Amino acid sequence: MNGEHQYRLRATWTGDRGTGTSGYRDYDRSVSLEVDGKPLVEASADTPFRGDGSKWNPEELLLGALSECHLLSYLYACVKTGVVVVSYRDDASGTLVEDGKGGGAFSDVLLRPQVVVADSSMIDAAVAAHRQAREWCFIANSVNFPVRHEPVVTAA
């Protein structure tokens, strides 16, 4: 699979309370994210940034993209090496550091995959597959902060 792939979505601000952005407290941070043929995602800013905490925020979406990309890359790496994964769960976390000037950036993300493989003879290869998944993950290769991994692999 070589080549260039284009992705598109529509982000629509849905937070006009009737006066637009007439003042910092006068508008809602609600956004809808749409991709043709897929369910609408209701999003907002995170609560500390005057958003709606019941909706997805950009920081959670980035963390989710990193976690899912590693998961999918990992499953492929396991198939390529004969490892049979029967369960995978990741308790991911990330740290955003504000710069004091209204901006900020993630300083790091930690993925904590908990993987169960079909047989104990597969554990070493299953652990090694995380390194390969890291090399293959498009999203992790696109960010400018470390994405660390603390995998735990056990047998069913």
Side-chain angles (χ1 to χ4, degrees):
M1 180 174 90
N2 291 329
E4 188 173 290
H5 307 272
Q6 298 292 317
Y7 298 89
R8 290 177 176 79
L9 69 75
R10 177 176 296 117
T12 304
W13 173 53
T14 59
D16 182 5
R17 294 180 180 154
T19 61
T21 58
S22 58
Y24 183 70
R25 298 177 190 276
D26 296 338
Y27 64 95
D28 193 291
R29 274 68 174 167
S30 294
V31 175
S32 65
L33 303 174
E34 299 172 82
V35 174
D36 288 341
K38 296 184 181 180
L40 180 83
V41 172
E42 294 290 340
S44 183
D46 196 7
T47 305
F49 308 110
R50 302 195 53 79
D52 181 345
S54 70
K55 297 178 180 178
W56 285 88
N57 64 60
E59 296 80 15
E60 291 166 335
L61 292 166
L62 177 61
L63 185 60
L66 285 163
S67 179
E68 181 183 359
C69 187
H70 182 81
L71 181 156
L72 296 172
S73 299
Y74 178 76
L75 295 179
Y76 179 62
C78 286
V79 166
K80 297 289 277 183
T81 58
V83 172
V84 178
V85 175
V86 297
S87 174
Y88 184 113
R89 185 181 82 210
D90 183 13
D91 293 317
S93 61
T95 303
L96 175 78
V97 179
E98 293 184 67
D99 64 10
K101 299 180 271 183
F106 271 84
S107 61
D108 74 315
V109 161
L110 176 60
L111 305 180
R112 294 183 190 92
Q114 298 170 39
V115 179
V116 180
V117 296
D119 187 82
S120 61
S121 65
M122 300 174 176
I123 290 177
D124 289 342
V127 170
H130 283 286
R131 287 187 291 280
Q132 182 64 65
R134 170 55 181 98
E135 292 177 20
W136 286 342
C137 177
F138 304 138
I139 308 302
N141 288 327
S142 301
V143 298
N144 65 352
F145 53 84
V147 179
R148 299 178 293 118
H149 305 89
E150 291 179 357
V152 174
V153 179
T154 58

